[in-house]
Structures are given as C-alpha cells and as structure tokens.
Amino acid sequence: MTMFLLTPVLAAVVCILIVWLFKNAGRSIERRKGEPTGRAEARPWMHEDFKDSTDLCQVEEDADESQESEENVEHIAFSHTRYPEKEMVKRSQEFYELLNKRRSIRFISNEQIPMEVIDNVIRAAGTAPSGAHTEPWTFVVVKDPDTKHKIREIIEGEEEINYLKRMGHRWVTDLKKLRTNWIKEYLDTAPVLILIFKQVHGFAANGQRKVHYYSEISVSIACGILLAALQNAGLVTVTTTPLNCGPRLRVLLGRPTNEKLLMLLPVGYPSQEATVPDLKRKRLDQIMVTV
Ligand SMILES: Cc1cc2nc3c(=O)[nH]c(=O)nc-3n(C[C@H](O)[C@H](O)[C@H](O)COP(=O)(O)O)c2cc1C
C-alpha cells in the first residue's frame, strides 16, 4: 500500500529534478554562447559590432588597462547664445530644410574641392560629444589617386563576394531599389575619401591603455555631424560601411591595431549625370512620440 502511495510522489520528485537540471544546463550553454563573462556585462562600452581579427588579442590585453587621471580639470563659466523664440523657430526650420536636401550620392565628379572645407568639416565632427571626453576618432583623408585606387580594389573585391555569396536573398532584395552593386567608381573619381576609424582604446601619457567608453556611439555621432557639415558646405557624399574590408584598409593606411574602420565617405561635387532613388522620408508623426 505504502509502495503504491510512494510511487506518484517519487515520480513527481524525479520530474521536478529533471526540469531543474534542464533549465540549468540551458542557462550555462547560453552563457557560453553569448558575451562570455560577467566582465563584459559589467562593461557595456566594450561591446563592438565591427570586430576583426585584431580583436582577439585586444580582449586579453584589457586586464592591464589603466586610466589617465583628469580629475583636476578646471571648471569655467559657460557662455551661451540665446535667440528670441521667433528666431529659434526660423533657425530650426532652415536647418531642417538644409538637411532634408541631403541625399546619398553615388556619382561623384572628379572636380577638386577646397581642402580648407575638409579641414573645417572634420573640425566640426571633432566637436562631437564622446564617452568621458575620450574623443575616440581618427579621420583619414585620402587624396592620393594611387591610394584611392588601392582602396577601390580592396572594396570591390570584397563587395563582389558580399553581393554574390555573403549577402542573404533578403539583403540583396532590399538593396535593389538603390541599384547598387560592387562597382564603386566614386572611389576613384571623388577628390577626397574620408575614412573614419574608431579607437577601441587610447593610450595614456605613460603609454598604458586608456579605456574608450562607448566609442562606437561617440564616433557615430561625430559621423552624423560630419554629414551635416558636408551638406552645409555644399558637398556630397554617400555613407558607406565596407563590409569585411576594415582590417585591410587599416593596414593600407598604416593605422594602428586599436583603430577599427567604421565608415568611409567619398566626398566631392555630384557628377552631372547623378541620379538618386526617389525615396520618401517618414513624417514627423511616424517618428515622434510625445509623452
Ligand atoms: C550605416 C549606413 C551604412 C550604409 N552603407 C551604404 C553602403 O555601403 N553603400 C551605399 O551605397 N549606401 C550605403 N548607405 C546609404 C543608404 O543606402 C542611404 O542612406 C539610404 O538609402 C537613404 O538614402 P539617403 O541617404 O539619400 O537619404 C548606408 C547608410 C547608413 C546609415
């Protein structure tokens, strides 16, 4: 009799034990698959999308990073320019109208541009906010025709493989409306290429590693300002993120291993036959929620 009563109780206990064992096994597998350690979770600024082979040694060396102390920065009075409300509305409207004319231009003329403008737009990009004011960016300006052509060869070689093999069907379909392919003539014709590198870490005065907090977000903000500054100056570009080309372009341009390519902007005037896809932007009520 006791035996009959015990069997369902025993079965229930065994079931609970099996469920508990499975749950724990699942959790530890997930931990192994994802961001590997608690160290990564505690330091979200170390996350990177654009990893390349040089990241492998990066992670291990993180242990001896050191931070330059800047505790003694003087605080000074802030000088602010305040506009009357009418002027504010006018300025904001005009700025929006200027930026609304920006388009990605994939046909760029070989006409030279004033290099002083390039200096100024990069100065403007360098005003971007950055995590703990680390300014984790390097803007490489390429004017030399041979280097531009080498860049083109690297990018076209990789892009051909991207389009034919690496990209999924969905990606290729999504790009159809833009009529892009792996031929990038603008890499030769544009008078200037700006390659924007993010510094995954910097160096303190004593040569030790300096942590760069949220470097990718910081550099992306700088790129946004750069795009706006180019538009303001009357130049055109197309935002490009050459897939799988970062490490080779870094080596070609002689940049150190702590720098990762984030973006490449060919800059110039539009060629006479330039066309753009007739894309529409979302309306304010589709992108803004007021609470
Ligand atoms: C992160 C990012 C990556 C992009 N990469 C490419 C690229 O590799 N090649 C390209 O031709 N356009 C690229 N574009 C441009 C987009 O296709 C373009 O911004 C979009 O179609 C909207 O068009 P518009 O810039 O004329 O408004 C990229 C844009 C962004 C923001």
Side-chain angles (χ1 to χ4, degrees), residues 67 78 108 212 242 274:
Q67 203 69 25
F78 171 63
I108 300 180
H212 278 178

Side-chain angles (χ1 to χ4, degrees), residues 18-260:
I18 290 171
V19 169
W20 183 82
L21 276 173
F22 266 101
K23 265 193 170 173
N24 274 299
R27 258 186 232 141
S28 66
I29 286 167
E30 257 167 41
R31 231 176 281 137
R32 251 174 275 143
K33 268 198 284 185
E35 284 281 356
T37 59
R39 195 176 72 154
E41 279 158 36
R43 300 190 300 169
W45 55 84
M46 300 307 269
H47 171 79
E48 289 161 50
D49 280 345
F50 289 79
K51 289 196 181 283
D52 66 36
S53 55
T54 57
D55 286 317
L56 295 174
C57 50
Q58 216 91 53
V59 176
E60 273 148 36
E61 286 167 22
D62 278 346
D64 38 73
E65 71 209 9
S66 87
Q67 203 69 25
E68 192 179 17
S69 172
E70 286 174 346
E71 280 168 16
N72 297 325
V73 170
E74 191 190 352
H75 283 225
I76 53 172
F78 171 63
S79 144
H80 176 63
T81 311
R82 183 159 174 168
Y83 306 108
E85 278 186 19
K86 244 174 120 178
E87 170 87 2
M88 285 167 74
V89 173
K90 185 169 169 276
R91 290 174 68 97
S92 58
Q93 171 76 23
E94 284 172 359
F95 190 64
Y96 156 64
E97 281 166 11
L98 172 73
L99 291 193
N100 197 28
K101 290 193 194 122
R102 185 207 55 78
R103 293 305 313 272
S104 291
I105 302 300
R106 299 175 178 89
F107 308 92
I108 300 180
S109 114
N110 59 7
E111 192 182 338
Q112 292 303 304
I113 56 174
M115 287 314 290
E116 213 182 323
V117 174
I118 296 299
D119 292 352
N120 285 336
V121 293
I122 291 177
R123 276 194 186 104
T127 67
S130 60
H133 192 53
T134 43
E135 302 174 282
W137 39 66
T138 306
F139 301 89
V140 180
V141 176
V142 180
K143 297 190 312 184
D144 172 53
D146 286 343
T147 311
K148 283 195 293 173
H149 192 68
K150 283 183 187 139
I151 291 173
R152 180 177 177 180
E153 283 175 343
I154 291 173
I155 292 180
E156 287 188 344
E158 287 295 329
E159 283 283 87
E160 184 171 358
I161 306 170
N162 292 337
Y163 273 85
L164 298 180
K165 295 188 188 146
R166 293 194 192 113
M167 285 180 182
H169 175 70
R170 168 106 322 264
W171 191 358
V172 174
T173 312
D174 284 348
L175 283 178
K176 265 204 174 123
K177 60 176 176 285
L178 304 180
R179 296 193 200 156
T180 55
N181 61 24
W182 58 87
I183 310 294
K184 316 273 177 202
E185 209 186 337
Y186 54 71
L187 293 170
D188 270 326
T189 60
V192 162
L193 306 179
I194 305 178
L195 290 91
I196 301 107
F197 288 82
K198 78 169 180 190
Q199 300 163 359
V200 289
H201 66 83
F203 293 98
N206 61 6
Q208 285 198 293
R209 263 162 196 266
K210 185 177 165 197
V211 177
H212 278 178
Y213 305 96
Y214 299 109
S215 64
E216 190 150 323
I217 300 178
S218 306
V219 184
S220 300
I221 294 171
C223 288
I225 295 175
L226 180 56
L227 291 175
L230 288 167
Q231 174 69 9
N232 181 56
L235 293 171
V236 299
T237 187
V238 51
T239 309
T240 71
T241 44
L243 194 64
N244 287 319
C245 302
R248 283 171 71 196
L249 294 177
R250 179 181 65 71
V251 171
L252 175 73
L253 298 170
R255 300 310 307 160
T257 54
N258 64 318
E259 296 189 1
K260 301 272 162 359

